[in-house]
């Protein structure tokens, strides 16, 4: 520690502080590490994400780009001091809560600081001024619109409805604030990097710089001796159990540390553990490992070649697995078609780009291991860590932190095995925080896809047949490749009736970063192909594009491509019909705009529909919820569904409250700690509202029955929770249930219930026939866009999104999911593509900013699913799937150019337009005689 003569002082949150960090230390690190103010978040350490934004002399600044020496004698305000420093801050925090402007919350401190600075200097800003101010802060969850609306409200704009404290039985359907929202807006929420136990060691991974390489170690002990403060190097030889993990047990194939050969750039071969100050400064360039670069398979064509080396034994041809759904006579179906269209479509890797890099710590507690980290799947983590460490599952505890965005990638293990191994062997807590480049380099991506599709329809517009063949690049290891390969054939038809259908997929191994789960599990890629061909079919037949979709949309009693028939809850037609009013206005506006244009700007509109099965495909998918009544009248909900920003902490509590008949205000939440809450399954596949919500519904009903039994009352009795007790009323008689007279159980509950729900499904046969999901969600989007045909740039002007959610448990949170999903769909359509080995940062890898997102009109359709809690379905994946194909169809509507490789970057759009301009006129189509 420098002496007092070298210490520097500045004013922080209204108080003078003196710090001993070197003047060149990042201000963000000083705030978090030396001063303990973890409300300032670090997302990139490069000024790209803006999560670390603080106010310096009242102006927003990225704390990661400022050396602490630069603020000597100046005034710094972090989120913790914002309410005292800014007259607008308290109102902003309230508005963020009301509008649902904080989802995961990792960007919220930066957003609030930036917004406060704007409002303090411009009390009534315009929407343009708000969007300009927020341009330097990225959000991956919200789609920005609710953030903008919240700021405008504080500036005198329109407010929004909110149910402050709904009465018993009135929580479902209410626009209540997030139950965990206050922590997000005041900076006290604890994310993966925000806690550091005493005496913690730091760990850093040694990773392959090549897509494929053999390697061997030099003298590791000598390396440790040469670097005082480095405690130990760990390799595969130090793993107590199995050097293997994976999210799907039969396909698990990924080592914690590679042995002998690495299969993708960024794969770990060793771990260095040491004192934090030493590890931070350590240059790992001299780590004793020798690399022998080998020729990698970087494309699926290379991997599928007959002479290609095999990545994994038992997977001939480098094919991980296949998927298939077939129904009807496909050849006859195409013979019956009056018009047949076909095309080849391609998508690339897409990075999740959550603002929170992976982080957490592990500690050994006797013969048990505890891991606190950001995760979407605590019980899956527990089981994999137990296998890796050679421990019983009961000896491993996973404590999820708040998750700063996940979208699927935080289902897979990342830092967990590394910190577990170090903590177990060293007997000290071990901590790891991925850098942004490390996160992008090593974590799973959306699967690149190569798809060939053919669709036929009769002269009357009725679909007759569809054939789909898709290869999905699953990278070096399985991850969620089997799920993608099996889900896509079910969904590639879209929410439409096909009498004849065949869809076949392959998940293919290459020497690239593993591809895994990303909001849709391959369905967004398939929709890009299918929905564009639908426009081509409609045009060839001379049928309005929206009418064509309505005509062929599924309805009650009509079988899906797997032969499944629903007798309720099929809301896709209602979604399409809800777009008609805006479609009519938009079409007129586009025609008028294009008619008066003499330059290069053209406008267009596009449609797309979607469906998505909630939960696992034809597999068990249970969730278990526990709820307990205490003697003081309060209710504890053990809710293990990890909230990654989607709102499960709030929605599941709303469901349980109304099922029980108790006020929401009485509930206390115990979240997904594997020691404290039952297993609610992973947060993925749009399952938590539906599956865990139904378990909460059943648990609430069961606790209600237990109370009625204790009071010797019938099912029709009503419950009133007040004054620390329960009043039971039945047929004019009232009885107070004295809770203090009841004997509490081991958990302290005088009455409790625990219930499990597993959606009913059936296995799929060899042709993919069966009942893969108990519930589907449906949706349809209308995109309005403007293309500069000279530059190839595309601007989305407006999105209208209609979604069948079954029952809107919390409309505000649903709208937030729709807007956030639409933002990721916009990125998929127009800008996002990851190239392994390049662009491993948020400067080169582009995600939508506030300036890219148009207004989004959300239309909630409530076609109840009888099996869902109060009829509710999932929403997480739904919102993303139709956005990209709607935008791509709008580009065609505006320009006549069809984009078959996403994203539609300016160079690709311009190339498509130029090809159209130079092509000879078409003289034939594939119309059957």
């Amino acid at each position: 520690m420098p002496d007092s003569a070298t210490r520097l002082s500045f004013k922080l949150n209204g108080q003078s502080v003196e710090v001993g960090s070197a003047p060149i230390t990042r201000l963000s690190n000083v705030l978090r590490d030396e001063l303990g103010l973890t409300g300032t978040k670090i997302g990139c350490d490069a000024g790209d994400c803006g999560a670390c934004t603080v106010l310096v002399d009242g102006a927003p600044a990225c704390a990661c780009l400022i050396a602490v020496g630069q603020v000597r004698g100046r005034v710094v305000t972090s989120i913790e001091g914002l309410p005292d420093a800014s007259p607008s801050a308290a109102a902003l925090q309230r508005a963020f809560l009301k509008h649902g402007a904080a989802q995961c919350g990792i960007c919220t401190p930066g957003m609030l600081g930036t917004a406060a600075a704007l409002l303090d200097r411009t009390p009534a800003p315009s929407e343009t001024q708000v969007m300009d101010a927020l341009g330097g802060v990225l959000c991956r969850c919200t789609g920005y619109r609710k953030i903008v609306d919240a700021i405008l409200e504080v500036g005198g704009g329109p407010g929004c409805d909110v149910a402050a404290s709904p009465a018993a039985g009135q929580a479902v359907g209410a626009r209540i604030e997030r139950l965990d929202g206050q922590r997000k807006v005041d900076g006290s929420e604890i994310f993966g990097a925000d806690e550091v136990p005493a005496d913690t060691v730091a760990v850093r991974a040694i990773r392959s710089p090549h897509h494929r390489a053999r390697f061997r170690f030099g003298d590791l002990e000598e390396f440790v001796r040469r670097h005082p403060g480095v405690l130990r190097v760990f390799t595969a030889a130090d793993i107590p159990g199995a050097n293997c993990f994976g999210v799907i047990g039969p396909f698990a194939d990924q080592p914690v540390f590679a042995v002998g050969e690495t299969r993708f750039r960024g794969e770990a071969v060793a771990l260095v553990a040491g004192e934090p100050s030493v590890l931070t400064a350590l240059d790992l360039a001299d780590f004793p490992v020798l690399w022998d670069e080998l020729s990698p398979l970087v494309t699926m064509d290379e991997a599928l070649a007959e002479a290609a080396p095999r990545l994994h034994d038992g997977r001939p041809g480098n094919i991980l697995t296949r998927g298939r759904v077939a129904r009807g006579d496909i050849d006859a179906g195409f013979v019956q078609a009056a018009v047949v269209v076909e095309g080849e479509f391609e998508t690339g890797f897409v990075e999740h780009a959550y603002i929170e890099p992976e982080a957490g710590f592990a500690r050994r507690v006797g013969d048990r291991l505890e891991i606190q980290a950001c995760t979407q799947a605590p019980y899956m983590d527990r089981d994999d860590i137990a296998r890796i460490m050679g421990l019983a599952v009961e000896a491993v505890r996973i404590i999820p932190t708040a998750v700063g965005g996940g979208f699927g990638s935080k289902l897979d293990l990342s830092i967990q095995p590394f910190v577990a191994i170090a903590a177990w062997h060293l007997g000290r807590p071990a901590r790891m925080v991925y850098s942004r480049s490390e996160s992008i380099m090593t974590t799973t991506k959306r699967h690149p896809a190569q798809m060939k599709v053919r669709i036929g329809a009769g002269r009357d517009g009725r679909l007759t047949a569809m054939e789909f063949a898709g290869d999905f690049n699953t990278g070096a290891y399985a991850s969620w490749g089997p799920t993608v390969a099996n889900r896509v054939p079910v969904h590639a038809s879209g929410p439409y009736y096909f009498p004849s259908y065949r869809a076949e997929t392959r998940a293919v191994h290459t020497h690239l970063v593993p591809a895994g789960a990303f909001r849709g599990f391959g369905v967004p890629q398939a929709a890009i192909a299918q929905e564009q061909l639908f426009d081509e079919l409609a045009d060839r037949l001379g049928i309005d594009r929206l009418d064509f979709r309505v005509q062929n949309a599924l309805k009650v009693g009509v079988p899906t491509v797997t032969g499944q028939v629903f007798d309720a809850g099929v809301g896709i037609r209602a979604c399409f019909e809800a777009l008609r009013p805006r479609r009519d206005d938009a079409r007129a506006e586009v025609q008028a705009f294009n008619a008066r244009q003499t330059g290069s700007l053209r406008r267009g509109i596009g449609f797309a529909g979607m469906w998505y099965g909630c939960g696992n495909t034809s597999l068990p998918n249970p969730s278990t919820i526990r709820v307990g009544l205490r003697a003081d009248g309060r209710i504890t909900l053990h809710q293990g569904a990890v909230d990654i920003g989607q709102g499960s902490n709030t929605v599941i509590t709303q469901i349980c409250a109304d099922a029980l008949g108790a006020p929401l205000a009485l509930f206390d939440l115990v979240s997904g700690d594997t020691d404290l809450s039952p297993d609610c399954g992973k947060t993925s596949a749009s399952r938590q509202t539906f599956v865990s919500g139904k378990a909460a519904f059943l648990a609430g009903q069961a606790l209600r029955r237990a109370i009625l039994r204790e009071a010797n009352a019938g099912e029709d009795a009503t419950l009133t929770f007040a004054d620390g007790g329960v009043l039971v009323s039945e047929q004019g008689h009232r009885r107070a249930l004295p809770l203090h007279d009841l004997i509490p159980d081991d958990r302290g509950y005088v009455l409790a219930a625990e219930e499990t729900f597993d959606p009913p499904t059936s296995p799929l046969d060899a042709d993919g026939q069966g009942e893969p999901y108990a519930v589907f969600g449906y949706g349809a989007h209308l995109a309005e866009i403007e293309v500069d045909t000279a530059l190839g740039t595309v601007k989305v002007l407006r999105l209208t999104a209609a979604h069948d959610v079954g029952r809107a448990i919390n409309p505000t949170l649903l709208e937030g999911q729709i807007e956030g999903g639409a933002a990721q769909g916009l990125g998929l359509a127009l800008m996002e593509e990851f190239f392994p080995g390049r662009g491993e940062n948020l400067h080169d890898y582009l995600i939508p900013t506030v300036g890219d997102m148009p207004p989004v009109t959300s239309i909630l359709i409530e076609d109840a699913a009888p099996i869902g809690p109060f009829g509710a379905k999932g929403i997480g994946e739904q919102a993303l799937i139709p956005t990209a194909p709607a935008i791509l169809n709008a580009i065609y509507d505006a320009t006549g150019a069809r984009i078959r490789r996403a994203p539609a970057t300016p160079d690709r759009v311009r190339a498509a337009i130029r090809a159209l301009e130079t092509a000879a006129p078409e003289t034939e189509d594939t119309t059957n005689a």
Side-chain angles (χ1 to χ4, degrees), residues 271 279 338 632 795:
L271 192 72
L279 261 287
D632 62 1
K795 182 175 181 60

Side-chain angles (χ1 to χ4, degrees), residues 782-859:
L782 166 61
E784 303 169 43
I785 61 99
E786 182 177 277
V787 182
D788 187 324
T789 58
L791 300 177
T793 56
V794 180
K795 182 175 181 60
V796 182
L797 304 175
R798 181 170 180 165
L799 290 169
T800 305
H803 285 276
D804 170 21
V805 299
R807 176 71 185 279
I809 303 297
N810 189 318
T812 300
L813 301 187
L814 283 166
E815 291 163 359
Q817 285 294 286
I818 291 170
E819 292 166 12
Q824 291 187 340
L826 184 151
L828 173 64
L830 298 179
M831 65 186 69
E832 294 192 48
E833 185 169 13
F834 174 67
F835 298 93
R838 294 157 46 195
E840 294 162 350
N841 57 71
L842 293 178
H843 180 77
D844 297 311
Y845 185 84
L846 301 179
I847 67 173
T849 68
V850 66
D852 296 306
M853 275 305 294
V856 180
T857 300
S858 298
I859 303 171

Side-chain angles (χ1 to χ4, degrees), residues 28-29 134 192 316 389 438 459 537 557 563 620 791 834:
S28 53
N29 291 341
L134 298 181
M389 299 305 296
E438 190 173 23
R459 183 60 62 189
L537 264 180
L791 300 177
F834 174 67

Side-chain angles (χ1 to χ4, degrees), residues 21-84:
S21 297
I24 62 169
T25 308
R26 298 177 192 265
L27 176 61
S28 53
N29 291 341
V30 172
L31 293 174
R32 291 175 56 84
D33 301 338
E34 185 170 350
L35 299 173
L37 299 180
T38 57
T40 299
K41 307 305 179 185
I42 298 177
C44 66
D45 265 343
D48 293 325
C49 73
C52 66
T53 299
V54 297
L55 303 185
V56 179
D57 294 337
C62 287
C64 73
L65 296 183
I66 298 176
V68 69
Q70 292 177 282
V71 300
R72 186 193 301 268
R74 302 174 72 181
V75 176
V76 176
T77 304
S78 69
I79 183 65
E80 292 87 350
L82 196 61
D84 294 327

Side-chain angles (χ1 to χ4, degrees), residues 339-702:
V339 175
V340 176
V341 297
E342 58 187 313
E344 297 185 12
F345 299 84
E346 185 175 357
T347 66
F349 282 110
V350 182
E351 160 64 17
H352 295 73
Y354 29 70
I355 306 303
E356 178 203 28
E358 293 73 6
F361 66 84
R363 57 188 164 198
R364 184 169 181 172
V365 182
D367 290 329
R368 298 191 80 214
L369 187 65
E370 293 183 354
I371 300 176
Q372 179 171 305
C374 54
T375 178
Q376 294 179 234
Y379 274 83
M380 288 171 55
D381 287 4
R382 181 199 66 173
D383 295 350
D384 254 352
I385 292 298
R387 283 191 291 272
I388 291 166
M389 299 305 296
L391 298 171
V393 293
E394 296 79 12
V396 178
R397 178 185 185 185
I398 304 295
I399 307 168
T401 63
V403 180
F407 317 115
S409 188
K410 289 176 182 173
L411 292 166
D412 295 69
L413 293 180
S414 58
I415 60 99
Q416 295 92 328
F418 301 134
V419 295
I421 291 166
W424 188 259
H425 284 292
L426 296 176
R428 292 171 57 182
R431 177 175 181 256
M432 190 174 197
V433 179
Y434 275 5
S435 67
R436 174 55 60 184
S437 62
E438 190 173 23
S439 176
I440 293 180
M441 180 195 305
T442 65
T443 59
T444 61
K445 308 287 175 272
R446 184 181 296 286
H447 283 74
Q450 294 175 351
M451 299 166 287
K452 297 180 180 180
V453 189
R454 186 165 60 124
I455 307 176
R459 183 60 62 189
D460 62 356
R462 301 284 180 182
L463 294 165
T464 62
M466 176 176 176
E467 187 174 29
F468 177 98
D471 286 338
F472 292 81
N473 187 340
T474 203
Y477 297 106
S479 184
W480 292 96
T483 301
V484 170
N486 285 284
R487 184 176 279 269
V488 168
V490 174
H491 288 82
S493 64
Y496 307 99
Y497 171 64
F498 279 96
S500 299
Y501 176 81
R502 183 169 64 213
E504 296 178 329
T505 55
R506 300 184 294 187
V508 180
H509 281 301
T510 61
H511 287 110
L512 296 176
V513 62
F518 190 169
R519 209 170 193 171
F521 287 99
V523 181
Q525 296 95 302
I528 284 173
Q530 168 259 316
E531 286 289 338
Q532 289 198 83
L533 288 181
F534 265 38
D535 266 20
E536 292 189 28
L537 264 180
D539 291 350
R540 293 278 185 90
L541 290 165
I543 300 174
D544 176 86
R545 296 164 184 167
L546 183 57
D547 290 344
F548 178 77
R549 289 171 167 82
V550 172
Q551 178 180 357
N552 288 287
L554 290 169
K555 58 185 177 180
V556 167
V558 173
T560 71
V561 291
T562 71
Q564 189 171 11
V565 177
F566 291 94
D567 57 12
V570 183
I572 181 58
R573 292 191 177 210
C575 291
F576 281 130
E577 294 292 350
L579 299 181
R580 284 196 189 276
R582 182 58 207 163
R583 186 278 308 268
D584 294 341
D585 291 343
R587 177 178 288 166
E589 292 169 10
V590 164
Q591 290 172 347
F593 179 88
N594 289 342
R596 65 177 181 264
Q597 280 297 306
T598 59
S600 59
L601 299 182
R602 294 291 182 273
R603 289 187 177 178
I605 63 173
F607 309 96
M610 62 75 58
W611 65 332
Y612 194 80
C614 300
N616 296 344
T617 307
S618 292
L619 291 171
N621 194 21
S623 280
T624 302
I625 292 281
R626 179 188 306 132
V627 60
L629 178 63
R630 301 201 301 264
D632 62 1
R634 293 198 63 80
I635 301 158
T636 301
L637 179 64
H638 293 258
Q639 194 281 96
V642 177
D643 195 324
I644 61 173
Q646 85 280 23
S648 59
N649 284 339
T650 303
V651 168
I652 291 173
T653 309
Q654 288 178 265
I655 292 168
C656 189
D658 277 13
L660 172 58
L664 198 64
L666 287 180
F667 277 76
D668 300 311
L669 187 64
V670 176
S671 55
D673 184 323
T674 57
D675 270 13
L676 302 179
S677 289
D679 186 3
C680 273
K682 60 191 181 297
T683 293
S684 72
S686 298
R687 63 177 298 280
Q688 292 297 16
T689 294
F690 169 48
V691 183
S692 296
K694 186 59 177 284
F697 175 86
L698 296 173
Q701 287 191 322

Side-chain angles (χ1 to χ4, degrees), residues 13 23 47 131 155 208 240 337 364 487 508 648 676 754 869 886-887 892 911:
N13 297 334
M131 295 176 74
S208 172
R364 184 169 181 172
R487 184 176 279 269
V508 180
S648 59
L676 302 179
E754 182 172 303
I887 292 171
Y892 177 83

Side-chain angles (χ1 to χ4, degrees), residues 96-188:
F96 268 53
L97 292 173
K98 287 170 54 184
H99 285 265
Q103 289 191 19
C104 79
I106 193 73
C107 74
T108 303
M111 288 287 185
L112 283 169
T114 302
L118 169 66
L119 289 168
D120 290 347
R121 69 175 183 270
T122 309
S126 67
E127 180 173 307
T128 299
Q129 288 174 311
V130 171
M131 295 176 74
D132 286 345
L134 298 181
V137 187
L138 295 178
C139 176
R140 193 59 158 163
C141 295
T142 67
Y144 300 100
R145 300 309 306 186
K146 289 193 178 297
I147 296 173
V148 173
D149 290 345
I151 297 168
L152 289 173
E153 178 185 337
V154 178
C160 66
D161 296 329
V162 64
S165 183
Q170 297 181 22
V172 169
R175 290 181 178 272
I176 70 164
E177 298 172 1
R178 290 177 185 268
L179 298 182
D180 54 358
Q182 183 59 42
R183 299 195 302 272
K184 298 178 188 295
V185 299
D186 66 20
S188 62

